[in-house]
Amino acid sequence: MNRQKLSASLLTSCITVWYGSCSASSRKSLQRVVKAAEHITGTRLPAIQDIYHQRCLRRPSMTATLSSSSGLEVLLSTLQNVGDVESTLNILSVLDELLSAGTDRRIHYMIKKGGSEALLTALVKYGHTFSPNYTILIPLLHLLAKVGHKDRRIGMKAEEAGAVLLTLNLLKHNGQHARRTAACLWVIQVFCSSVSTANLIGENNGLDVIYRLIPQYTTKHLHAIKAAINAFSALLCTKANVCSAVSKGYISGLLWLYEDWHSKDTQDVAIAIRHALLCCLLKATDSTAGRQAFLSQGGIRLLYQTAQTCLLSKNLQCLVEPSMQLMRKCLPRVPLPVTSDQSAYSFLLPGTPAFPDVSETPGKSSDESDAEAEDNHEANNRDYDDDLETDLNKLRLPPDPDRPKELLTQYSCFCPELSHDFQREDEQDNEGDGTEEFYHHTIIDRLLERHGAGIPHHDPKLYCAVASKTKSIPEFSILAFPDFWGHLPPPGHQPMAPRKPNIQRQKVLEDIQRFLKTDDIINHVVFDLEDSNLQCQSDSLRFFSKFESGNLRKAVQVRRYEYDLILNPDVNSSQHTQWFYFEVSNMTADVPYRFNVINCEKSNSQFNYGMQPVLYSVKEALEGRPHWIRTGTEICYFRNNFCPAQGRRRTTFYTLTFTITFKHSEDVCYLAYHYPYTYSALMAHLKILQKSVDPAKVFFKQQTLCSTLAGNSCPIVTITACPVSRRWKDLHQLRNRPYIVLTSRVHPGESNASWVMKGTLEFLCSNDLVAQSLREAFVFKVIPMLNPDGVINGTNRCDLNSKDLNRQWSKPDPLLSPTIYHTKGFLYYLNIIGRTPVVFCDYHGHSRKKNVFLYGCSIKETLWQSGSAVDTVGLKEDPGYRTIPKTLDRIAPTFSFNSCNFLVEKSRSATARVVVWREMGVLRSYTMENTYNGCNQGIYKGLQTGTQEHQEMGMKFCHSLLSVTKDSRILYSRKLINHIDLDHNMLDHKSHNCFEDDEPPCAEEIEYSGGCPTLKGSDLDSDIDSSMARVDDDDDEDDKEHSAQKHQQDSISQSQQSSIKNHLFPPQTRQPSVDTPSERRDLRNGLSIAK
């Protein structure tokens, strides 16, 4: 009775102290603790708030005392020092109630106040005795597991306290008691969050001890069995433990156990056990040794068979995903079926004696390095803010020019409007005329006469003439029909493709069948870019890609209607595979063909979010429907098991798979990543535009900025309004107009950028009132294709020098990056003559986001976002960089202001946007990002963008430029405002809040190297809570059950035991004896465990 009063008094004091340190909202939850304390002590406690106020009145300094020493600290201190069993139990119960009543913040607060150390000290005190008191130890272990689960340093703390091997020793001596076993296992699982602690347990025979606690199928003590599996899984976080488990045959044992539980759990009462076994196998296969053991023991075949069973039951769906992850993870790595990882195209760079050595430094393949996953995980979890530029000098002060001013005078020729006398308008002849007459008058003429398409701003004969002068590495001699014939936007909009549930699972299972069942696998090469003499079978599809912008390196027929497609890396490179554009023929109508692009490199794609590839049918075009259309079903994008052919670089490949059902037999179709736009199409388009304008009103001048590495011309176009007269006033107004510089297609695979630029050029050359006003207000300098060679040769990211040209702006090489070098030189020239552009915009495409948005540059926003200590109050920054994006948000239906970004990243310091802003002082320096997919907001929500929407965006960007004009008459012209298309839908258009990068997680797991999918209600906290809710007499039942089991086991014949052991442990491996008299010591208390 005295102890009861002491406990009540102690609890009252502790809770009162804590009450004084809590907020008003937290005090309410403490009432639950009071009720729990009353139940524990069997006495009614006085009102805590009354005692608190009485003590404060008696002792005014009480408030200060409460602030300096919280109630939690009092409880923890008492727990470590009190020797009374009942008081200890009461404190543990109160702590558990306090932590259960709140959120994880309470646990983290307890950890901060030394809660983990206090619990570990108590564990060592009560466990390090001749006869441990499990009445205290079990709730103590439960609480330690719950708290330690949130403590990142719990493993190291446990080692320092000497609690690691103590817990393992307690486990060894309590294998016959389910509750005690489970409690020890949960704590060991928590300790294994530290690699060194897991290794310590493994070195002291922990793997063997825990593995023996995982029995064959049973319906008893499932919580303890699950705890054993989870603890064993936690130990496999280290390479040493995995190697030990493999050498002892535990991988095959786990597979056998899973098969046993799967076959015998007919009532599905042990789903959690089966799930835990799968997660354990997933952990074991993180290393190469684990994967090889899993594969050699027939793990893939076993899981494939069990997964088929699980797919038939709704209750077992939770087992399918971890099974899929395991099979994908352990499939053998297959080299791409190519002779070399290098591109099929190579180009001799200037200044090099031979072809450049672009091979990667030989290194370990991804299978040989178990540290790769850890490195990637660490890299992927770096804080984005670390990439933000925080050096104020770099943000504010421009660097020195990269060339002397004397070299800049050469660019004066690209400002003809400053010297032109505008006497004879017919003198606006453009370079390169005369090619229009060069075309064949045979098949082309007959086709056009019979099926003439009449595409606006397109002339097939002119296209042929221009294409004949385009220089390519393979010397293309064939034109792709869509580029020659032209394209019209299809009528209506195309919605995003709905994703079929579990489509990725279906496709992956089909791919796994390739490994397990090879009877129907053909594996016949039907197209090879490097083998022009390849013969195709009569019933297979035929492929071709040797034309401008084409990209398909190899096609392999896998099954009757399935083909693997391998893309060609960028020229002189072994990477950057995403863009594809190829011809396919010899198809049968109404037959679904599956296409797998197997060497994609991006880790995610809009193909997982409703995007479809595009298709062009020659038969449809000749029947008057020359459309690129979105097509394809059963589309998904996921990581595969292919690796580089030479195994020299750590590359992860992804599969884009889609199914096409062709409308016509014996058609010729073209498939592409996005709507193609070739260099020849641009050059032909510029000639048509030049002819379309009235030279008396529009000054349109096309010049060659420079020649590319392959000898193609890089055009620069000047567009402005001709002066009303030759009077000085009108000429002066023209020659003082501000400049706007627009560029595009620095990345060849971003064809959508060219379609947006096409819309901009056509609008600026039109008779639209807004276009006329813009020409009168500005001089436009347009470089519509910064990477002609890349576009021509079908690369995705780079130029012929294998470099990303949008990372060369800081110090571009005049020989290797001529287009960037001269574009930057021209911008320098405008800067030194006092004509710094008011707007610079570089058009791009974005493969992982929807909508259209701008990236700009802001010092203040960068410093704010980075959390820099720099005081920005005194910094003055013109907010005008937001004017254009804000305007576009009002008038452009595909534009999203909330996706815009005005931060300056270190990794983008050499891009056009940042260099032009920093070095030329252009406030409104932008990158425009255009989606390949579609919109998730506005009037186009749920729709995929087509060429019409891209061109509309180019026009709307021009409209937004009215917001930066200094001519107030233009800015506030009611006539112009009414002319801009601002219907009610447009005005109501608002960007939705979407600050996340890219998309939400895909419906199915793209990667297979992540952790095990969690089972609802099976986390550690839930397991502990359910165990604590069990009746107190479980231990007595355990004793009886284990006694019966012991008797039963003794009756098993020696031959049966040998049979079971041989099944679990293969003959070639030997299980070490647990009785080997060796020992390893803990760090602090010298506790040893016989081994």
Side-chain angles (χ1 to χ4, degrees), residues 490-532:
H493 299 285
Q494 292 187 265
M496 295 178 192
R499 185 181 176 101
K500 185 179 176 182
N502 300 316
I503 184 59
Q504 177 180 303
R505 176 192 298 175
Q506 174 189 329
K507 298 302 178 183
V508 169
L509 285 172
E510 291 175 11
D511 292 346
I512 292 171
Q513 281 183 323
R514 290 198 206 180
F515 174 75
L516 298 175
K517 185 181 178 183
T518 59
D519 298 346
D520 62 340
I521 302 301
I522 299 173
N523 270 348
H524 179 70
V525 178
V526 295
F527 171 75
D528 191 337
L529 192 63
E530 300 165 278
D531 185 2
S532 57

Short mmCIF file of all heavy atoms in Angstrom, two decimals, residues 490-532:
data_model
loop_
_atom_site.label_atom_id
_atom_site.label_comp_id
_atom_site.label_asym_id
_atom_site.label_seq_id
_atom_site.Cartn_x
_atom_site.Cartn_y
_atom_site.Cartn_z
N PRO A 490 -4.97 17.62 -87.01
CA PRO A 490 -6.23 16.89 -87.13
C PRO A 490 -7.38 17.70 -86.55
O PRO A 490 -7.18 18.54 -85.67
CB PRO A 490 -5.98 15.61 -86.31
CG PRO A 490 -4.92 16.00 -85.34
CD PRO A 490 -4.06 17.01 -86.04
N PRO A 491 -8.58 17.49 -87.04
CA PRO A 491 -9.72 18.22 -86.49
C PRO A 491 -9.99 17.78 -85.05
O PRO A 491 -9.92 16.61 -84.71
CB PRO A 491 -10.88 17.80 -87.41
CG PRO A 491 -10.45 16.50 -88.01
CD PRO A 491 -8.96 16.56 -88.12
N GLY A 492 -10.25 18.77 -84.21
CA GLY A 492 -10.55 18.46 -82.81
C GLY A 492 -9.29 18.22 -82.00
O GLY A 492 -8.17 18.18 -82.52
N HIS A 493 -9.49 18.08 -80.69
CA HIS A 493 -8.38 17.85 -79.77
C HIS A 493 -8.34 16.39 -79.37
O HIS A 493 -9.36 15.70 -79.35
CB HIS A 493 -8.54 18.72 -78.52
CG HIS A 493 -8.54 20.19 -78.80
ND1 HIS A 493 -7.40 20.89 -79.12
CD2 HIS A 493 -9.55 21.09 -78.83
CE1 HIS A 493 -7.70 22.16 -79.31
NE2 HIS A 493 -9.00 22.31 -79.14
N GLN A 494 -7.14 15.92 -79.05
CA GLN A 494 -6.97 14.54 -78.63
C GLN A 494 -6.74 14.49 -77.11
O GLN A 494 -5.79 15.09 -76.61
CB GLN A 494 -5.80 13.89 -79.36
CG GLN A 494 -6.07 13.70 -80.85
CD GLN A 494 -4.97 12.90 -81.53
OE1 GLN A 494 -4.05 13.45 -82.10
NE2 GLN A 494 -5.08 11.58 -81.46
N PRO A 495 -7.61 13.78 -76.39
CA PRO A 495 -7.43 13.70 -74.93
C PRO A 495 -6.22 12.85 -74.56
O PRO A 495 -5.74 12.04 -75.36
CB PRO A 495 -8.73 13.04 -74.45
CG PRO A 495 -9.20 12.25 -75.64
CD PRO A 495 -8.78 13.02 -76.86
N MET A 496 -5.74 13.06 -73.34
CA MET A 496 -4.67 12.21 -72.85
C MET A 496 -5.16 10.77 -72.74
O MET A 496 -6.32 10.52 -72.41
CB MET A 496 -4.18 12.69 -71.49
CG MET A 496 -3.52 14.06 -71.53
SD MET A 496 -3.02 14.61 -69.88
CE MET A 496 -2.63 16.33 -70.22
N ALA A 497 -4.27 9.84 -73.02
CA ALA A 497 -4.65 8.43 -73.01
C ALA A 497 -4.87 7.95 -71.58
O ALA A 497 -4.00 8.15 -70.73
CB ALA A 497 -3.58 7.60 -73.69
N PRO A 498 -5.99 7.32 -71.29
CA PRO A 498 -6.19 6.76 -69.94
C PRO A 498 -5.23 5.59 -69.72
O PRO A 498 -4.96 4.82 -70.64
CB PRO A 498 -7.65 6.30 -69.96
CG PRO A 498 -7.95 6.06 -71.41
CD PRO A 498 -7.13 7.05 -72.19
N ARG A 499 -4.71 5.50 -68.52
CA ARG A 499 -3.78 4.42 -68.20
C ARG A 499 -4.56 3.21 -67.72
O ARG A 499 -5.32 3.27 -66.75
CB ARG A 499 -2.79 4.85 -67.13
CG ARG A 499 -1.72 3.80 -66.82
CD ARG A 499 -0.78 4.27 -65.74
NE ARG A 499 0.18 3.26 -65.37
CZ ARG A 499 1.45 3.22 -65.77
NH1 ARG A 499 1.89 4.16 -66.59
NH2 ARG A 499 2.27 2.27 -65.39
N LYS A 500 -4.38 2.11 -68.41
CA LYS A 500 -5.04 0.87 -68.04
C LYS A 500 -4.50 0.39 -66.70
O LYS A 500 -3.29 0.36 -66.49
CB LYS A 500 -4.78 -0.18 -69.12
CG LYS A 500 -5.50 -1.49 -68.92
CD LYS A 500 -5.19 -2.44 -70.06
CE LYS A 500 -5.83 -3.81 -69.84
NZ LYS A 500 -5.49 -4.74 -70.95
N PRO A 501 -5.37 0.01 -65.75
CA PRO A 501 -4.88 -0.44 -64.45
C PRO A 501 -3.91 -1.61 -64.57
O PRO A 501 -4.15 -2.55 -65.33
CB PRO A 501 -6.16 -0.84 -63.71
CG PRO A 501 -7.26 -0.09 -64.39
CD PRO A 501 -6.84 0.02 -65.83
N ASN A 502 -2.81 -1.51 -63.86
CA ASN A 502 -1.81 -2.58 -63.79
C ASN A 502 -1.24 -2.96 -65.15
O ASN A 502 -0.81 -4.09 -65.36
CB ASN A 502 -2.40 -3.83 -63.11
CG ASN A 502 -2.86 -3.57 -61.71
OD1 ASN A 502 -2.18 -2.91 -60.93
ND2 ASN A 502 -4.05 -4.06 -61.37
N ILE A 503 -1.21 -1.99 -66.07
CA ILE A 503 -0.69 -2.30 -67.40
C ILE A 503 0.81 -2.60 -67.34
O ILE A 503 1.31 -3.47 -68.06
CB ILE A 503 -0.99 -1.15 -68.39
CG1 ILE A 503 -0.53 -1.51 -69.80
CG2 ILE A 503 -0.36 0.15 -67.93
CD1 ILE A 503 -1.16 -2.75 -70.36
N GLN A 504 1.52 -1.89 -66.48
CA GLN A 504 2.96 -2.15 -66.37
C GLN A 504 3.21 -3.57 -65.85
O GLN A 504 4.10 -4.26 -66.33
CB GLN A 504 3.62 -1.13 -65.45
CG GLN A 504 5.11 -1.36 -65.23
CD GLN A 504 5.72 -0.34 -64.31
OE1 GLN A 504 5.67 0.85 -64.57
NE2 GLN A 504 6.31 -0.80 -63.21
N ARG A 505 2.41 -3.99 -64.88
CA ARG A 505 2.54 -5.34 -64.34
C ARG A 505 2.36 -6.36 -65.46
O ARG A 505 3.13 -7.33 -65.56
CB ARG A 505 1.50 -5.56 -63.25
CG ARG A 505 1.47 -6.96 -62.70
CD ARG A 505 0.25 -7.18 -61.83
NE ARG A 505 0.22 -6.31 -60.68
CZ ARG A 505 -0.79 -6.23 -59.83
NH1 ARG A 505 -1.88 -6.95 -60.03
NH2 ARG A 505 -0.73 -5.42 -58.79
N GLN A 506 1.37 -6.14 -66.29
CA GLN A 506 1.11 -7.07 -67.40
C GLN A 506 2.30 -7.14 -68.34
O GLN A 506 2.72 -8.24 -68.74
CB GLN A 506 -0.15 -6.62 -68.15
CG GLN A 506 -0.44 -7.40 -69.42
CD GLN A 506 -1.56 -6.76 -70.23
OE1 GLN A 506 -2.46 -6.14 -69.68
NE2 GLN A 506 -1.50 -6.91 -71.55
N LYS A 507 2.86 -5.99 -68.67
CA LYS A 507 3.97 -5.95 -69.61
C LYS A 507 5.23 -6.56 -69.02
O LYS A 507 5.99 -7.26 -69.70
CB LYS A 507 4.24 -4.51 -70.07
CG LYS A 507 3.07 -3.86 -70.80
CD LYS A 507 2.69 -4.66 -72.03
CE LYS A 507 1.49 -4.06 -72.75
NZ LYS A 507 1.06 -4.88 -73.91
N VAL A 508 5.46 -6.30 -67.74
CA VAL A 508 6.65 -6.86 -67.10
C VAL A 508 6.55 -8.38 -67.01
O VAL A 508 7.53 -9.10 -67.22
CB VAL A 508 6.84 -6.24 -65.70
CG1 VAL A 508 7.91 -6.99 -64.92
CG2 VAL A 508 7.24 -4.77 -65.83
N LEU A 509 5.37 -8.88 -66.70
CA LEU A 509 5.19 -10.33 -66.66
C LEU A 509 5.44 -10.95 -68.04
O LEU A 509 6.03 -12.05 -68.14
CB LEU A 509 3.78 -10.68 -66.17
CG LEU A 509 3.54 -10.50 -64.67
CD1 LEU A 509 2.06 -10.69 -64.34
CD2 LEU A 509 4.38 -11.48 -63.86
N GLU A 510 5.03 -10.27 -69.09
CA GLU A 510 5.32 -10.76 -70.44
C GLU A 510 6.83 -10.78 -70.69
O GLU A 510 7.35 -11.70 -71.33
CB GLU A 510 4.62 -9.89 -71.48
CG GLU A 510 3.11 -10.02 -71.49
CD GLU A 510 2.45 -9.05 -72.47
OE1 GLU A 510 3.19 -8.43 -73.27
OE2 GLU A 510 1.21 -8.90 -72.43
N ASP A 511 7.52 -9.77 -70.17
CA ASP A 511 8.98 -9.72 -70.34
C ASP A 511 9.67 -10.81 -69.53
O ASP A 511 10.68 -11.38 -69.97
CB ASP A 511 9.51 -8.35 -69.93
CG ASP A 511 9.07 -7.24 -70.88
OD1 ASP A 511 8.58 -7.57 -71.97
OD2 ASP A 511 9.19 -6.06 -70.51
N ILE A 512 9.13 -11.13 -68.34
CA ILE A 512 9.72 -12.19 -67.53
C ILE A 512 9.54 -13.55 -68.21
O ILE A 512 10.40 -14.44 -68.09
CB ILE A 512 9.10 -12.18 -66.12
CG1 ILE A 512 9.51 -10.91 -65.37
CG2 ILE A 512 9.51 -13.42 -65.31
CD1 ILE A 512 8.80 -10.69 -64.05
N GLN A 513 8.45 -13.68 -68.94
CA GLN A 513 8.23 -14.92 -69.68
C GLN A 513 9.34 -15.18 -70.69
O GLN A 513 9.64 -16.33 -71.02
CB GLN A 513 6.88 -14.88 -70.39
CG GLN A 513 5.69 -15.16 -69.48
CD GLN A 513 4.40 -15.18 -70.25
OE1 GLN A 513 4.20 -14.41 -71.19
NE2 GLN A 513 3.49 -16.06 -69.87
N ARG A 514 9.95 -14.12 -71.18
CA ARG A 514 11.08 -14.30 -72.12
C ARG A 514 12.19 -15.12 -71.48
O ARG A 514 12.85 -15.92 -72.13
CB ARG A 514 11.67 -12.94 -72.51
CG ARG A 514 10.82 -12.08 -73.37
CD ARG A 514 11.72 -11.02 -74.01
NE ARG A 514 11.01 -9.82 -74.36
CZ ARG A 514 11.56 -8.77 -74.93
NH1 ARG A 514 12.85 -8.77 -75.20
NH2 ARG A 514 10.85 -7.70 -75.24
N PHE A 515 12.40 -14.87 -70.18
CA PHE A 515 13.47 -15.56 -69.46
C PHE A 515 13.06 -16.99 -69.10
O PHE A 515 13.89 -17.90 -69.14
CB PHE A 515 13.80 -14.76 -68.19
CG PHE A 515 14.77 -15.43 -67.27
CD1 PHE A 515 16.12 -15.48 -67.59
CD2 PHE A 515 14.34 -16.02 -66.09
CE1 PHE A 515 17.02 -16.10 -66.73
CE2 PHE A 515 15.23 -16.64 -65.23
CZ PHE A 515 16.58 -16.67 -65.56
N LEU A 516 11.77 -17.18 -68.76
CA LEU A 516 11.32 -18.48 -68.29
C LEU A 516 10.87 -19.41 -69.41
O LEU A 516 11.06 -20.62 -69.33
CB LEU A 516 10.17 -18.30 -67.29
CG LEU A 516 10.49 -17.51 -66.01
CD1 LEU A 516 9.22 -17.31 -65.20
CD2 LEU A 516 11.53 -18.25 -65.18
N LYS A 517 10.29 -18.82 -70.43
CA LYS A 517 9.73 -19.63 -71.51
C LYS A 517 10.21 -19.07 -72.85
O LYS A 517 9.75 -18.02 -73.29
CB LYS A 517 8.20 -19.60 -71.43
CG LYS A 517 7.50 -20.50 -72.44
CD LYS A 517 5.99 -20.39 -72.29
CE LYS A 517 5.28 -21.25 -73.33
NZ LYS A 517 3.81 -21.10 -73.24
N THR A 518 11.11 -19.78 -73.47
CA THR A 518 11.75 -19.27 -74.70
C THR A 518 11.18 -19.91 -75.97
O THR A 518 11.69 -19.65 -77.06
CB THR A 518 13.26 -19.54 -74.63
OG1 THR A 518 13.47 -20.96 -74.49
CG2 THR A 518 13.89 -18.82 -73.46
N ASP A 519 10.14 -20.73 -75.85
CA ASP A 519 9.62 -21.45 -77.02
C ASP A 519 9.13 -20.51 -78.11
O ASP A 519 9.36 -20.75 -79.30
CB ASP A 519 8.48 -22.39 -76.61
CG ASP A 519 8.95 -23.45 -75.63
OD1 ASP A 519 10.18 -23.61 -75.49
OD2 ASP A 519 8.09 -24.10 -74.99
N ASP A 520 8.43 -19.42 -77.71
CA ASP A 520 7.83 -18.55 -78.71
C ASP A 520 8.69 -17.31 -78.98
O ASP A 520 8.23 -16.37 -79.64
CB ASP A 520 6.43 -18.11 -78.28
CG ASP A 520 6.45 -17.31 -76.98
OD1 ASP A 520 7.45 -17.43 -76.24
OD2 ASP A 520 5.48 -16.59 -76.72
N ILE A 521 9.92 -17.29 -78.51
CA ILE A 521 10.80 -16.14 -78.71
C ILE A 521 11.53 -16.30 -80.05
O ILE A 521 12.20 -17.31 -80.30
CB ILE A 521 11.80 -16.00 -77.56
CG1 ILE A 521 11.06 -15.87 -76.23
CG2 ILE A 521 12.72 -14.82 -77.79
CD1 ILE A 521 10.12 -14.69 -76.16
N ILE A 522 11.42 -15.26 -80.89
CA ILE A 522 12.02 -15.31 -82.23
C ILE A 522 13.43 -14.69 -82.22
O ILE A 522 14.37 -15.26 -82.75
CB ILE A 522 11.12 -14.56 -83.24
CG1 ILE A 522 9.75 -15.24 -83.31
CG2 ILE A 522 11.77 -14.52 -84.62
CD1 ILE A 522 8.73 -14.49 -84.14
N ASN A 523 13.53 -13.49 -81.64
CA ASN A 523 14.82 -12.77 -81.54
C ASN A 523 15.53 -12.70 -82.89
O ASN A 523 16.70 -13.08 -83.03
CB ASN A 523 15.73 -13.44 -80.51
CG ASN A 523 15.53 -12.87 -79.12
OD1 ASN A 523 14.89 -11.84 -78.96
ND2 ASN A 523 16.07 -13.53 -78.12
N HIS A 524 14.82 -12.16 -83.87
CA HIS A 524 15.38 -12.00 -85.21
C HIS A 524 15.53 -10.52 -85.53
O HIS A 524 14.57 -9.74 -85.39
CB HIS A 524 14.47 -12.67 -86.24
CG HIS A 524 14.96 -12.53 -87.65
ND1 HIS A 524 16.08 -13.18 -88.12
CD2 HIS A 524 14.48 -11.79 -88.69
CE1 HIS A 524 16.28 -12.86 -89.39
NE2 HIS A 524 15.32 -12.02 -89.77
N VAL A 525 16.72 -10.10 -85.93
CA VAL A 525 16.97 -8.71 -86.28
C VAL A 525 16.32 -8.41 -87.62
O VAL A 525 16.62 -9.07 -88.63
CB VAL A 525 18.49 -8.42 -86.34
CG1 VAL A 525 18.73 -6.97 -86.75
CG2 VAL A 525 19.15 -8.70 -84.99
N VAL A 526 15.43 -7.43 -87.64
CA VAL A 526 14.73 -7.09 -88.89
C VAL A 526 15.16 -5.73 -89.44
O VAL A 526 14.80 -5.37 -90.56
CB VAL A 526 13.19 -7.09 -88.67
CG1 VAL A 526 12.71 -8.50 -88.34
CG2 VAL A 526 12.79 -6.12 -87.57
N PHE A 527 15.92 -4.97 -88.65
CA PHE A 527 16.47 -3.71 -89.14
C PHE A 527 17.73 -3.40 -88.36
O PHE A 527 17.78 -3.55 -87.13
CB PHE A 527 15.48 -2.56 -88.99
CG PHE A 527 16.07 -1.21 -89.29
CD1 PHE A 527 16.32 -0.82 -90.60
CD2 PHE A 527 16.41 -0.33 -88.27
CE1 PHE A 527 16.89 0.43 -90.88
CE2 PHE A 527 16.97 0.91 -88.53
CZ PHE A 527 17.21 1.28 -89.86
N ASP A 528 18.77 -2.96 -89.10
CA ASP A 528 20.03 -2.57 -88.47
C ASP A 528 20.60 -1.41 -89.26
O ASP A 528 20.89 -1.54 -90.46
CB ASP A 528 21.02 -3.73 -88.45
CG ASP A 528 22.24 -3.47 -87.57
OD1 ASP A 528 22.53 -2.27 -87.35
OD2 ASP A 528 22.88 -4.42 -87.12
N LEU A 529 20.72 -0.27 -88.62
CA LEU A 529 21.22 0.93 -89.28
C LEU A 529 22.61 0.72 -89.85
O LEU A 529 22.98 1.36 -90.84
CB LEU A 529 21.24 2.09 -88.27
CG LEU A 529 21.46 3.50 -88.80
CD1 LEU A 529 20.34 3.92 -89.74
CD2 LEU A 529 21.55 4.49 -87.63
N GLU A 530 23.36 -0.19 -89.25
CA GLU A 530 24.75 -0.43 -89.69
C GLU A 530 24.88 -1.59 -90.67
O GLU A 530 25.99 -1.94 -91.07
CB GLU A 530 25.62 -0.68 -88.45
CG GLU A 530 25.62 0.49 -87.48
CD GLU A 530 26.17 0.13 -86.12
OE1 GLU A 530 25.42 -0.42 -85.30
OE2 GLU A 530 27.35 0.42 -85.88
N ASP A 531 23.77 -2.20 -91.04
CA ASP A 531 23.78 -3.32 -91.98
C ASP A 531 22.68 -3.12 -93.02
O ASP A 531 21.53 -3.49 -92.80
CB ASP A 531 23.60 -4.64 -91.23
CG ASP A 531 23.72 -5.86 -92.14
OD1 ASP A 531 23.98 -5.67 -93.35
OD2 ASP A 531 23.55 -7.00 -91.65
N SER A 532 23.05 -2.54 -94.12
CA SER A 532 22.06 -2.24 -95.17
C SER A 532 21.67 -3.47 -95.97
O SER A 532 20.70 -3.43 -96.74
CB SER A 532 22.61 -1.17 -96.12
OG SER A 532 23.84 -1.59 -96.68
#
